[in-house]
Amino acid sequence: MHFISIAHVLGLLLIVTGSSMFLPAICSVYYNEADLLPIICSALITVGLGLPSWKYCRSDEELNIKDGIFIAVFGWFLVSALSGLPFMIHGAIPSFTDAFFEMMSGYTTTGATILTDIESLPHGLLFWRSETHLLGGMGFLTLTVIFLPKGMGGMRLFRAESSPGQVITKEKFKARNKDTMIMLWLIYLGLNILEIILLWLGDMPMFDAMCTAFGTVSTSGYSPKNLSIGHYNSAYFDWIITLFMFLGGMAFILFYQMMQGDWHAIRINTEFRWYLGFILFFCGMVSFILWQNNTYGAMDSLRYGTFQVMSLLTTTGFGTADYELWPQASQMFLYAVCFIGACAGSTTSGIKVVHYVIICKYMYASIRKLFFQPMAVVSIRLNERPVERSIIDLAICYFIVNIFMVLLGGCFMVLVDSMDYVTAMSSVIASLMNIGPGFGDVGPSENYAFISDTGKWFLAWNMLVGRLEMFSALVVFYPSFWKK
Amino acid sequence: MFGKKATSQQENILILGLGGMGFYLAKRLQHEGYSVTAIEPDSKLVSYADANLDARFITGSALSIEHWREANAEKMDYMIAVTNKDALNMMGAQIADKFGIPQKICRIRHQEFGKEDSLLSGEDLKIDLFINPEELVVQEIVRLIKRTAGNEVIDVAMGQVQVMATRISAESPMANKSLIEIAQTYNEFPFRVVAIGRGIKTIIPGGRDNILPQDQVLFMAGREDLKMLMELTGVKQQRRYRVMILGGGMVGSLVAEQLGKTMQVRLIERDEELAEKLSAELPETEVLLGDGSDKEVLLAAGLLNMDTFIAATGENETNIMSCLMAKHLMSEQDENKQLKTDRKTISLVNKEDYQVLATTSGSDIALNKKILAGNEILTYIRRSELLSVSHLHGFDAEVIDLVAPPGSLITRKPLSQLQPVIAGKIIIGSVFREDKWSAAVGDTHIQEGERVIVICASQYFKDLRELFAF
């Protein structure tokens, strides 16, 4: 480990975090509320910690993959801890554990909250809470990579944070990482701005529009209202937000290809086709069940069903209705949807569509080969190109690790907190897949405030594991990782 | 917040083939701030490169136009074709031309193309620069041998300034002295120690660094003073008449062919068929069949009467070890007979990690075709900014001849104030003032538009770019 270089990068990370607190500060000035001082203090503390370590820890040592993983895992911890300062100083969230949980949930784009009354918070803090989504949505470290000097091993950082999904889709459309990152951020910010404008045109207040947009495109799910999107009760908003959840779940490389006018690449993109297929199937099923059971009328069934499926499938976690009051059949479908993230290389987490594509194709081919036609030569194709063996292994391994994590996590939660197994399981799923609301006592109309401190730390850890897509975060448990 | 913005526009370079040469170029170009995209059919090579370089890779054949489109070929400024097939590289140039890539560089090993009188000239093939790494190595060897001393002397700035590398023996008057002491002792003419090769490291020394026995040391001096410097360091000048070459591959046979006219050349080749072919092709050369990594074979071939030994087999390790052995055999004999001949060993080492190791363990000079070709290409790409780049064989360092552009960092302060930035990385050697080269000292203040000679450790090339803002 090259701790000097690590300190340099972490310092940079803190500077970026601290300086991004100026937006909520502007917000408090505008609303003239009591949270201005806490925000400014926190910003100064954060930058004050970051600046010296960024300035004085310079070395020519290249970061290796170990350092990259170390930064990826502990950078998120550090940033979440310091981002909780405004809430603690202000007193909105007095306990450190809660503030940390809230921020980790923000940065990892989970959107699970411990706040029982969101609307009682001052605007500046609410804005900061949503802004963590904006920063975390594209992956915090990608932002850092842009500012890193050349040859600091920015590539390895990117690799530690980039996901198995991205390895599969080879999301590098520019020759240099830095340029790729800048491009991704531009697309990302563009989507945010577009959504803010569309919501604002529908007469949503600017403040709400911004917070909602930050929560949508990054597929996170913090809303400045207690009732989430249900508060506005407007079909227009529901459909706009559904659309942007869909866009946030698309692989960002597709937007780049659209800008390049490369429609062929989008046509042959296997993952995108499956993504659409999944959406149509689940939205159709849930809406149909709602309509069949006379929960809503035909149009409203489609509106509420689609919104809720998209919200869980893209791991956003917004709510327009309390789906726990819906028929059991539709709840089962929603439960299944929780296990599907959207496309690799988007802002979503969880098991990506591309993993399902590979696993399904592989399953189909293997069974055929083993039990029916032993002479068959099996080739798995993605985007009309054969997929390498190592990628198939990676996808299967990723899937299995996810399932294990959910089961083990569920057992752990039941032990530390007295809760029913549905709540335990779904709280872990909701954290690991970065969704937010789950089922049982952590449903869309409840929150995570009742969980014990141990449970909160565990769930926060799960969010990070899910956001880093398992492997980077699990590697730190190998003893050899810490050996010199 | 955004740090220093590089002033030069980012050039996009497309590389075909990621073999040894392609990987080396991609690494070096990426290190110096170019955007690199590479097309390579072998997915193993791609995944290795992907884990080590910040560049974009496309897995597939360079003959598939779809891959060129995927690589955004129309946006490229340079195309460098270094696949292992000449024909494919030529075809690459044609395709690149269709995509409108302005500059095309190809590795072409066959001698019949791109010369003045070739059937197909560079214009016909749409190639702007032909690179033949083996040929570059041969030229370098011939140049080294034809020079009176076997020590490596590089001419910089049309030969007015010269750089010389020599090994410091334990008896040398300079051993175990710091540079400050040396400068005080020998003050009758100006010279500087600009780099020290030790073990596998290259040190860009400061005044307090010591020279140890077995170091390979690089001096810089004016042309007229070099002879005195050679006497000082105990380097004798002598003609090279007898050369032994190990390995009759492309490099070995070409060296034999070029030296055979004026010198006695013996070539040892292991492969019978090839040996027969060589003896038919090289009438002036004595071709011997045998395994040159064998001590007895070397002695029987008359190694002890030779004054230059060149190891040019296809294996780095064989080359390094046989040079080491040859060196030992020669020096044993010299000690017994009290002869004062000075003999040289040259080895071909195509692995950057072994370069310095080779020169500190028996090879006087270690040549690497990749580095030579890389220099050639970089000098070509930078032809507007750098006047010349010479790699110092056996050191991880370059001697660069360049002009300080207006407004660059180097022109803002005298050198002594820049020390913290450049210490241990870069030495500003001489500066051209009032029609002559003068050594740059602490209070020299480089003015814009002046020509400067700089010695720079290879890995700090980017610091040099910042300093001179090119």
Side-chain angles (χ1 to χ4, degrees):
Chain A
M1 299 246 189
H2 306 112
F3 284 107
I4 295 178
S5 303
I6 290 178
H8 176 84
V9 179
L10 290 181
L12 188 58
L13 204 57
L14 291 182
I15 293 172
V16 174
T17 311
S19 28
S20 52
M21 288 185 193
F22 83 94
L23 279 174
I26 292 172
C27 201
S28 338
V29 172
Y30 179 79
Y31 286 100
N32 197 3
E33 280 165 339
D35 53 353
L36 180 61
L37 205 59
I39 290 173
I40 289 179
C41 283
S42 317
L44 289 177
I45 292 171
T46 313
V47 175
L49 283 172
L51 213 52
S53 63
W54 174 72
K55 203 163 165 54
Y56 298 113
C57 297
R58 278 178 198 268
S59 79
D60 288 321
E61 285 171 332
E62 278 273 317
L63 293 170
N64 59 21
I65 191 75
K66 254 190 196 181
D67 304 333
I69 289 170
F70 186 91
I71 291 170
V73 176
F74 294 93
W76 287 76
F77 265 98
L78 194 66
V79 169
S80 303
L82 284 162
S83 302
L85 283 175
F87 297 94
M88 284 152 64
I89 298 175
H90 175 263
I93 307 178
S95 102
F96 173 65
T97 305
D98 285 355
F100 180 85
F101 181 94
E102 191 76 8
M103 286 296 102
M104 185 59 105
S105 166
Y107 280 119
T108 55
T109 73
T110 306
T113 183
I114 45 90
L115 292 171
T116 39
D117 183 12
I118 297 168
E119 287 160 53
S120 66
L121 257 64
H123 284 82
L125 291 182
L126 276 182
F127 192 87
W128 176 231
R129 182 169 165 263
S130 287
E131 200 194 331
T132 55
H133 285 338
L134 181 75
L135 295 171
M138 210 63 249
F140 210 123
L141 285 171
T142 56
L143 195 58
T144 323
V145 169
I146 295 174
F147 299 121
L148 275 185
K150 258 208 309 285
M152 258 294 268
M155 179 186 63
R156 296 198 171 86
L157 262 189
F158 172 61
R159 201 157 297 257
E161 203 193 25
S162 79
S163 54
Q166 280 168 327
V167 174
I168 296 170
T169 52
K170 290 249 168 46
E171 197 202 285
K172 212 173 165 186
F173 40 81
K174 290 255 187 208
R176 266 196 309 249
N177 271 317
K178 200 169 172 173
D179 302 341
T180 312
M181 300 298 159
I182 292 172
M183 200 69 222
L184 285 173
W185 272 91
L186 286 176
I187 294 171
Y188 177 65
L189 292 175
L191 285 174
N192 271 296
I193 290 166
L194 195 63
E195 188 186 353
I196 293 171
I197 292 169
L198 285 172
L199 291 174
W200 186 65
L201 289 176
D203 278 345
M204 192 186 272
M206 194 54 172
F207 175 84
D208 291 19
M210 281 171 101
C211 288
T212 309
F214 292 167
T216 315
V217 180
S218 62
T219 64
S220 323
Y222 276 157
S223 156
K225 299 290 177 217
N226 286 331
L227 290 174
S228 190
I229 308 299
H231 173 91
Y232 307 102
N233 198 9
S234 132
Y236 172 76
F237 288 157
D238 286 4
W239 287 112
I240 289 288
I241 290 165
T242 304
L243 171 71
F244 277 92
M245 288 194 286
F246 168 75
L247 295 177
M250 262 170 73
F252 275 43
I253 188 168
L254 294 175
F255 294 114
Y256 180 75
Q257 285 164 343
M258 280 181 208
M259 289 195 286
Q260 297 286 314
D262 185 359
W263 298 101
H264 176 72
I266 297 166
R267 255 203 312 283
I268 64 165
N269 192 308
T270 320
E271 189 186 18
F272 187 59
R273 261 180 305 165
W274 280 59
Y275 178 49
L276 287 176
F278 275 149
I279 289 171
L280 288 176
F281 173 76
F282 282 105
C283 292
M285 281 312 283
V286 173
S287 308
F288 177 75
I289 293 167
L290 289 178
W291 177 63
Q292 272 293 325
N293 285 286
N294 290 326
T295 316
Y296 304 105
M299 277 318 286
D300 276 357
S301 293
L302 190 64
R303 169 182 150 193
Y304 288 112
T306 306
F307 186 94
Q308 219 48 67
V309 169
M310 282 306 291
S311 165
L312 294 180
L313 193 138
T314 58
T315 74
T316 310
F318 277 139
T320 44
D322 187 350
Y323 51 78
E324 291 193 279
L325 307 174
W326 289 359
Q328 289 292 326
S330 59
Q331 285 197 49
M332 183 61 228
F333 276 96
L334 289 179
Y335 200 84
V337 160
C338 286
F339 282 92
I340 305 173
C343 300
S346 67
T347 59
T348 62
S349 323
I351 309 175
K352 304 285 200 320
V353 174
V354 74
H355 295 125
Y356 284 102
V357 177
I358 292 174
I359 289 169
C360 292
K361 289 189 170 192
Y362 181 70
M363 212 159 61
Y364 171 83
S366 303
I367 292 173
R368 180 166 162 262
K369 185 175 165 63
L370 285 171
F371 300 103
F372 172 56
Q373 178 50 286
M375 285 193 300
V377 177
V378 176
S379 154
I380 312 294
R381 291 157 66 82
L382 203 66
N383 307 350
E384 299 189 351
R385 297 222 178 130
V387 179
E388 286 165 39
R389 188 64 233 211
S390 61
I391 301 265
I392 299 174
D393 293 344
L394 191 68
I396 294 172
C397 184
Y398 182 69
F399 186 85
I400 294 172
V401 168
N402 265 286
I403 302 299
F404 277 1
M405 292 290 288
V406 168
L407 291 172
L408 289 172
C411 296
F412 182 87
M413 288 305 289
V414 176
L415 285 178
V416 296
D417 272 71
S418 53
M419 49 167 83
D420 60 291
Y421 71 94
V422 175
T423 308
M425 275 284 275
S426 80
S427 70
V428 173
I429 293 169
S431 311
L432 198 66
M433 310 290 177
N434 297 164
I435 299 170
F439 292 83
D441 298 341
V442 290
S445 57
E446 293 108 336
N447 56 52
Y448 286 72
F450 71 94
I451 292 174
S452 69
D453 279 7
T454 322
K456 279 176 187 158
W457 280 102
F458 180 72
L459 289 179
W461 165 248
N462 267 316
M463 292 173 197
L464 179 63
V465 171
R467 187 64 201 171
L468 295 178
E469 310 223 342
M470 308 289 162
F471 301 127
S472 301
L474 295 179
V475 164
V476 298
F477 289 108
Y478 284 70
S480 57
F481 179 85
W482 298 100
K483 291 225 173 75
K484 276 269 178 289
Chain B
M1 184 93 209
F2 285 92
K4 292 179 286 293
K5 270 271 164 282
T7 44
S8 65
Q9 80 275 30
Q10 295 300 350
E11 276 141 329
N12 297 308
I13 298 181
L14 177 67
I15 297 181
L16 305 184
L18 270 180
M21 188 81 215
F23 183 84
Y24 171 77
L25 284 175
K27 185 170 166 176
R28 199 161 153 183
L29 291 166
Q30 170 236 308
H31 201 83
E32 300 188 10
Y34 294 99
S35 290
V36 178
T37 307
I39 302 180
E40 161 67 46
D42 183 346
S43 62
K44 282 201 180 64
L45 287 176
V46 170
S47 48
Y48 175 74
D50 199 25
N52 289 288
L53 301 176
D54 179 12
R56 188 166 169 237
F57 302 99
I58 287 150
T59 317
S61 155
L63 283 181
S64 142
I65 307 298
E66 185 199 337
H67 293 138
W68 287 72
R69 289 215 173 86
E70 200 179 330
N72 296 330
E74 65 283 352
K75 291 203 179 72
M76 294 289 163
D77 305 301
Y78 290 91
M79 191 276 319
I80 304 175
V82 285
T83 66
N84 51 10
K85 295 193 180 63
D86 282 0
L88 188 55
N89 294 340
M90 291 179 195
M91 206 60 225
Q94 300 285 345
I95 298 173
D97 194 61
K98 278 273 180 271
F99 273 105
I101 301 177
Q103 296 288 344
K104 295 160 290 284
I105 301 168
C106 292
R107 170 165 70 181
I108 307 290
R109 286 207 179 92
H110 284 93
Q111 309 281 328
E112 298 94 334
F113 298 100
K115 303 271 187 303
E116 302 282 308
D117 51 351
S118 306
L119 178 66
L120 287 169
S121 66
E123 246 161 84
D124 300 329
L125 292 167
K126 309 269 196 283
I127 298 174
D128 302 276
L129 177 67
F130 285 81
I131 290 284
N132 184 341
E134 283 77 12
E135 171 105 5
L136 290 172
V137 172
V138 171
Q139 285 168 1
E140 199 67 34
I141 292 179
V142 171
R143 198 180 63 78
L144 288 167
I145 291 179
K146 287 204 165 157
R147 149 153 293 130
T148 48
N151 275 47
E152 212 209 334
V153 178
I154 292 184
D155 293 341
V156 196
M158 317 300 286
Q160 290 145 315
V161 174
Q162 294 186 307
V163 179
M164 177 185 83
T166 185
R167 167 113 23 113
I168 297 291
S169 60
E171 301 86 57
S172 163
M174 294 193 179
N176 297 320
K177 289 208 174 103
S178 77
L179 298 193
I180 295 177
E181 289 167 2
I182 292 172
Q184 284 162 349
T185 321
Y186 308 104
N187 50 10
E188 55 266 38
F189 60 90
F191 72 90
R192 289 182 74 172
V193 175
V194 289
I196 300 174
R198 183 178 299 164
I200 61 165
K201 284 209 304 287
T202 300
I203 302 161
I204 302 285
R208 289 191 193 77
D209 286 316
N210 282 329
I211 294 185
L212 303 177
Q214 296 311 316
D215 278 356
Q216 187 83 354
V217 176
L218 198 66
F219 295 99
M220 183 169 189
R223 190 191 192 121
E224 54 282 0
D225 304 325
L226 198 71
K227 281 201 172 57
M228 303 213 267
L229 188 62
M230 283 183 171
E231 282 162 24
L232 203 67
T233 52
V235 175
K236 282 168 247 19
Q237 300 201 15
Q238 59 176 106
R239 295 291 310 272
R240 317 257 124 207
Y241 283 118
R242 291 186 297 258
V243 180
M244 179 179 280
I245 303 175
L246 202 61
M250 194 156 173
V251 173
S253 59
L254 278 173
V255 171
E257 186 183 356
Q258 298 204 12
L259 292 178
K261 299 182 184 72
T262 52
M263 301 178 192
Q264 227 189 64
V265 180
R266 261 181 214 168
L267 195 153
I268 305 181
E269 169 56 49
R270 209 165 45 178
D271 181 74
E272 198 168 345
E273 270 177 45
L274 183 58
E276 282 184 15
K277 185 166 147 285
L278 286 173
S279 79
E281 282 173 7
L282 305 168
E284 286 104 348
T285 305
E286 197 179 338
V287 180
L288 306 173
L289 179 66
D291 183 349
S293 58
D294 200 336
K295 176 176 145 191
E296 299 308 322
V297 172
L298 285 181
L299 290 173
L303 172 76
L304 298 180
N305 304 324
M306 296 287 162
D307 42 30
T308 306
F309 178 81
I310 304 171
T313 69
E315 290 158 351
N316 301 326
E317 294 78 6
T318 311
N319 292 344
I320 294 175
M321 293 316 285
S322 51
C323 270
L324 186 58
M325 187 150 69
K327 194 88 193 167
H328 274 278
L329 291 170
M330 290 168 167
S331 57
E332 238 171 61
Q333 183 214 20
D334 290 356
E335 276 165 26
N336 296 344
K337 295 201 175 169
Q338 299 297 320
L339 280 179
K340 278 290 175 203
T341 50
D342 184 52
R343 324 218 222 185
K344 289 289 155 213
T345 53
I346 300 176
S347 62
L348 234 62
V349 181
N350 289 323
K351 196 175 167 98
E352 296 82 77
D353 309 347
Y354 289 171
Q355 228 63 41
V356 180
L357 189 71
T359 51
T360 48
S361 69
S363 319
D364 293 300
I365 294 157
L367 295 171
N368 181 334
K369 61 181 184 195
K370 287 191 258 177
I371 295 178
L372 291 177
N375 287 339
E376 190 89 353
I377 290 174
L378 268 172
T379 313
Y380 180 78
I381 291 180
R382 292 254 167 83
R383 57 200 178 283
S384 51
E385 308 135 359
L386 304 180
L387 300 168
S388 79
V389 179
S390 333
H391 185 77
L392 301 160
H393 310 301
F395 293 89
D396 275 335
E398 253 87 19
V399 181
I400 299 141
D401 178 357
L402 77 175
V403 172
S408 53
L409 183 60
I410 190 92
T411 58
R412 289 180 212 161
K413 298 173 187 167
L415 293 182
S416 53
Q417 292 180 33
L418 289 165
Q419 267 316 315
V421 186
I422 61 177
K425 301 176 182 176
I426 297 165
I427 286 185
I428 310 288
S430 341
V431 55
F432 192 66
R433 282 195 181 158
E434 294 145 17
D435 291 334
K436 66 179 187 15
W437 287 96
S438 45
V441 288
D443 46 19
T444 306
H445 189 153
I446 308 268
Q447 303 300 322
E448 61 183 61
E450 286 188 322
R451 255 179 96 180
V452 190
I453 293 176
V454 181
I455 289 81
C456 167
S458 306
Q459 72 262 40
Y460 296 118
F461 209 90
K462 56 176 189 291
D463 296 79
L464 184 76
R465 295 189 71 178
E466 278 167 21
L467 207 57
F468 282 87
F470 56 81

